Amino acid sequence: MSQKRPTLIDVAEKAGVSRALVSIVMRDAPGASQATRLKVREAARQLGYRPDSRAKLLRSSRTKLLGLSFTTAQAFHAEIVDAAYARATERGYGIALSAVAAARPEPQAVESLLDLGCEALIMVSPTLGQQELAGYAARLPVVSVLRDDVGDALDSVSSSDHEGIRIAVEHLASLGHRRIVHVDGADAVSGPQRREAFVAEMGRRGLEARVVQGGPTEEDGLRAARLILENPPTAIMAFNDRCALGVLESLRAGGLRVPHDVSVLGYDDSQFARLSYVMLSSISQDAQLLASAAVDRAIDRLEGTTPAAHLVRTPHLVLRNTTGPAPSH
């Protein structure tokens, strides 16, 4: 038989004070001496009393809850979720999660957050059209993370794809690479932008921009790298780290050494890039910075009258073991 949850009355009896006084202490309201506060909190600690957050929410006209939708298949999204939790807690808010998956489309994920009474939405790499997104923004503040082409009704927090690709091409070119292939993200969020930036940056250096269709998963990288092996370059830039893992596996299966024969550069600096047996050089979007900025935008919109804004961060290069000088042969 489960033990009965301690109540305010139990704490009052143990501390030898009134229930009203215990309520004042638990709400951090004025009206109790420091000595009484210490006595009540010690009684609560001994009893294992915890305030009922659900009851608190019911008594309040606000939930102070931010809804966050993300895609289960993307490891980088999970890092944004972790960082968002930390920042929301610092600012006195909670976060409710809703996953977008193969059998759970984005509208369903968002509606479930609205049903929970979330006061604002943070959507990681939303795939809905601008009109659908604007429909949600008409109901509550909405912040898009990683995607900035969402219209003026939404806030967005992203990193500059063009700057990230420029940094990537510059790094590989500085190592002497001239034959560089980009395994793109196909129609994934940021895929077209990174592809266009790659073509522009290679052209600016007078280099041939070779693009092979890829995608956001390891399987996409594997498939693309098999095509590349027919005429291998000296360096490959992958759409993201997961795609880069597939590229690495395919290269190694084909007998090529990384980075001695072919350098490989990822994007996102996700947990996969940092694995000790991978140590993938990657372009970092800084999940913690993006998530903190998104949470701040959502809360600032709720607590003030600021209009929607689009924040763009500059990514940076994280060097590990998969990029090196171009081979001399």
Side-chain angles (χ1 to χ4, degrees), residues 63-65 112-119:
T63 62
K64 299 201 80 174
L65 195 60
S112 71
L113 294 172
L114 297 178
D115 289 344
L116 288 172
C118 293
E119 295 186 333

mmCIF file of all heavy atoms in Angstrom, residues 63-65 112-119:
data_model
loop_
_atom_site.group_PDB
_atom_site.id
_atom_site.type_symbol
_atom_site.label_atom_id
_atom_site.label_comp_id
_atom_site.label_asym_id
_atom_site.label_seq_id
_atom_site.Cartn_x
_atom_site.Cartn_y
_atom_site.Cartn_z
ATOM 1 N N THR A 63 0.376 29.086 -17.307
ATOM 2 C CA THR A 63 1.030 27.779 -17.142
ATOM 3 C C THR A 63 2.540 27.919 -17.065
ATOM 4 O O THR A 63 3.213 27.047 -16.543
ATOM 5 C CB THR A 63 0.703 26.859 -18.329
ATOM 6 O OG1 THR A 63 1.215 27.430 -19.536
ATOM 7 C CG2 THR A 63 -0.791 26.634 -18.456
ATOM 8 N N LYS A 64 3.079 29.043 -17.597
ATOM 9 C CA LYS A 64 4.529 29.244 -17.700
ATOM 10 C C LYS A 64 5.182 28.019 -18.335
ATOM 11 O O LYS A 64 6.239 27.545 -17.912
ATOM 12 C CB LYS A 64 5.140 29.557 -16.334
ATOM 13 C CG LYS A 64 4.587 30.817 -15.699
ATOM 14 C CD LYS A 64 5.512 31.378 -14.645
ATOM 15 C CE LYS A 64 6.652 32.170 -15.260
ATOM 16 N NZ LYS A 64 7.478 32.849 -14.250
ATOM 17 N N LEU A 65 4.520 27.517 -19.373
ATOM 18 C CA LEU A 65 4.971 26.319 -20.057
ATOM 19 C C LEU A 65 5.278 26.645 -21.519
ATOM 20 O O LEU A 65 4.453 27.229 -22.214
ATOM 21 C CB LEU A 65 3.877 25.247 -19.980
ATOM 22 C CG LEU A 65 4.240 23.798 -20.316
ATOM 23 C CD1 LEU A 65 5.320 23.269 -19.381
ATOM 24 C CD2 LEU A 65 2.987 22.927 -20.222
ATOM 25 N N SER A 112 -0.806 18.901 -29.925
ATOM 26 C CA SER A 112 -0.733 18.304 -28.586
ATOM 27 C C SER A 112 -0.132 19.286 -27.586
ATOM 28 O O SER A 112 -0.507 19.300 -26.410
ATOM 29 C CB SER A 112 0.078 17.006 -28.617
ATOM 30 O OG SER A 112 1.455 17.271 -28.806
ATOM 31 N N LEU A 113 0.795 20.126 -28.041
ATOM 32 C CA LEU A 113 1.377 21.149 -27.168
ATOM 33 C C LEU A 113 0.360 22.238 -26.847
ATOM 34 O O LEU A 113 0.296 22.731 -25.715
ATOM 35 C CB LEU A 113 2.618 21.759 -27.825
ATOM 36 C CG LEU A 113 3.816 20.823 -28.002
ATOM 37 C CD1 LEU A 113 4.898 21.482 -28.839
ATOM 38 C CD2 LEU A 113 4.376 20.395 -26.645
ATOM 39 N N LEU A 114 -0.438 22.592 -27.825
ATOM 40 C CA LEU A 114 -1.485 23.590 -27.589
ATOM 41 C C LEU A 114 -2.530 23.057 -26.611
ATOM 42 O O LEU A 114 -3.030 23.791 -25.758
ATOM 43 C CB LEU A 114 -2.147 23.974 -28.911
ATOM 44 C CG LEU A 114 -1.241 24.638 -29.956
ATOM 45 C CD1 LEU A 114 -2.024 24.928 -31.232
ATOM 46 C CD2 LEU A 114 -0.616 25.915 -29.413
ATOM 47 N N ASP A 115 -2.831 21.766 -26.717
ATOM 48 C CA ASP A 115 -3.798 21.148 -25.804
ATOM 49 C C ASP A 115 -3.313 21.180 -24.354
ATOM 50 O O ASP A 115 -4.121 21.191 -23.419
ATOM 51 C CB ASP A 115 -4.066 19.697 -26.214
ATOM 52 C CG ASP A 115 -4.865 19.606 -27.513
ATOM 53 O OD1 ASP A 115 -5.457 20.618 -27.917
ATOM 54 O OD2 ASP A 115 -4.860 18.517 -28.128
ATOM 55 N N LEU A 116 -1.989 21.190 -24.170
ATOM 56 C CA LEU A 116 -1.420 21.223 -22.818
ATOM 57 C C LEU A 116 -1.446 22.626 -22.215
ATOM 58 O O LEU A 116 -1.090 22.813 -21.051
ATOM 59 C CB LEU A 116 0.026 20.717 -22.845
ATOM 60 C CG LEU A 116 0.229 19.212 -23.060
ATOM 61 C CD1 LEU A 116 1.709 18.916 -23.249
ATOM 62 C CD2 LEU A 116 -0.314 18.428 -21.880
ATOM 63 N N GLY A 117 -1.830 23.620 -23.009
ATOM 64 C CA GLY A 117 -1.866 24.986 -22.503
ATOM 65 C C GLY A 117 -0.544 25.706 -22.585
ATOM 66 O O GLY A 117 -0.295 26.653 -21.830
ATOM 67 N N CYS A 118 0.335 25.282 -23.501
ATOM 68 C CA CYS A 118 1.621 25.962 -23.652
ATOM 69 C C CYS A 118 1.400 27.414 -24.068
ATOM 70 O O CYS A 118 0.522 27.710 -24.883
ATOM 71 C CB CYS A 118 2.481 25.244 -24.695
ATOM 72 S SG CYS A 118 3.009 23.599 -24.170
ATOM 73 N N GLU A 119 2.183 28.297 -23.503
ATOM 74 C CA GLU A 119 2.015 29.729 -23.770
ATOM 75 C C GLU A 119 2.776 30.189 -25.001
ATOM 76 O O GLU A 119 2.478 31.243 -25.571
ATOM 77 C CB GLU A 119 2.479 30.533 -22.557
ATOM 78 C CG GLU A 119 1.627 30.294 -21.325
ATOM 79 C CD GLU A 119 2.019 31.197 -20.180
ATOM 80 O OE1 GLU A 119 3.188 31.621 -20.098
ATOM 81 O OE2 GLU A 119 1.149 31.502 -19.367
#
